[in-house]
Amino acid sequence: MSRALEGQRMMTKDVPSCITAFSGVSNQFEGVNGWDNDTNGTLYYESYFDLSGYELSDLTTLIEMLQLQDSNAYYLLNPGPDSIITLVDVISEERLSPDTVSDLAQNGEYPGTMGSKQDFEQIKYCTVRGMLPQTDFASQTLLVNGYGGGYGSASPTTASKLWIYRIVRIGGTDLTGQTIVIPATRFIMGANIVKEAELPYLMRLKRSFELGTD
């Protein structure tokens, strides 16, 4: 049975767009179209790559490629003079708290860095973008990258799931009247599913368990 599951795989996970306005009633941007918002108003989308069939067959997923595809531009309608959007995209072995990730980002820390509870090995992919409203084009609401970076271990995994996150925090003194437009996105993972020798496989399981219970 396991041999039928082995070999090259291309996996995709689509994330829908999110167009939402700031609510004066709840004092936050409401999650729509499958998106949600956490306790501090952070918008997020959570899903996962399902690897449970490989895990049940004692197979290892060797990650060969991780990529994010944006379908369009990002917009912020009626931005303020100090508006800034922080966007964090993550693929993780561990389920994350979007609130915690957003709070970490305010101090320049992210999942898998020294200030987080995750080990770098658990974070397969992470990109960070700081977006600012621009004034050079006809559209005054277009968001452009002001800063950003990316990292990730892309290490082999025996996990049953790889969690994916889009986490968006809209900053500024006054958010009244603002609308954020986040385009549809796709996470892509290229992987090779293999049957490892017993000892390295058991050591990988042990390491994964230890990191997951720290």
Side-chain angles (χ1 to χ4, degrees):
M1 174 64 178
S2 66
R3 293 193 64 83
L5 297 175
E6 295 177 47
Q8 302 286 335
R9 297 287 185 274
M10 184 68 73
M11 308 176 201
T12 63
K13 184 60 66 173
D14 288 334
V15 179
S17 62
C18 179
I19 303 174
T20 182
F22 181 77
S23 169
V25 177
S26 63
N27 202 37
Q28 61 188 0
F29 289 85
E30 301 289 351
V32 297
N33 202 23
W35 287 67
D36 206 343
N37 51 279
D38 225 322
T39 54
N40 67 7
T42 300
L43 285 168
Y44 72 93
Y45 187 89
E46 178 187 71
S47 188
Y48 56 85
F49 286 113
D50 186 358
L51 309 179
S52 58
Y54 308 132
E55 182 211 24
L56 290 171
S57 297
D58 297 334
L59 298 173
T60 301
T61 301
L62 305 181
I63 298 172
E64 298 182 338
M65 181 272 287
L66 292 168
Q67 185 179 346
L68 186 70
Q69 293 181 337
D70 281 336
S71 64
N72 207 336
Y74 294 76
Y75 295 91
L76 182 65
L77 280 63
N78 302 313
D82 59 349
S83 292
I84 183 169
I85 310 300
T86 303
L87 172 61
V88 183
D89 291 296
V90 186
I91 301 176
S92 169
E93 275 192 5
E94 292 292 312
R95 195 170 189 178
L96 304 176
S97 161
D99 252 1
T100 301
V101 174
S102 179
D103 290 342
L104 279 171
Q106 305 311 301
N107 298 312
E109 296 280 356
Y110 303 94
T113 63
M114 292 285 288
S116 75
K117 293 183 178 180
Q118 291 78 39
D119 186 88
F120 174 72
E121 190 175 325
Q122 294 174 293
I123 305 303
K124 308 307 181 186
Y125 174 95
C126 182
T127 60
V128 181
R129 285 180 273 181
M131 296 183 164
L132 304 169
Q134 62 76 44
T135 57
D136 297 330
F137 302 104
S139 170
Q140 296 297 306
T141 61
L142 181 67
L143 291 168
V144 296
N145 288 343
Y147 61 87
Y151 62 93
S153 68
S155 59
T157 182
T158 55
S160 61
K161 295 178 181 178
L162 287 181
W163 293 92
I164 69 168
Y165 292 92
R166 304 214 80 199
I167 300 170
V168 181
R169 187 165 188 164
I170 300 97
T173 305
D174 185 7
L175 306 178
T176 305
Q178 294 185 11
T179 297
I180 182 74
V181 180
I182 305 167
T185 303
R186 176 176 291 131
F187 286 84
I188 300 177
M189 178 171 69
N192 190 16
I193 313 303
V194 301
K195 182 72 173 179
E196 291 188 288
E198 183 177 15
L199 181 58
Y201 177 76
L202 291 176
M203 292 301 293
R204 200 181 303 284
L205 283 177
K206 177 176 180 291
R207 174 65 172 162
S208 180
F209 176 78
E210 290 171 344
L211 290 176
T213 55
D214 282 346

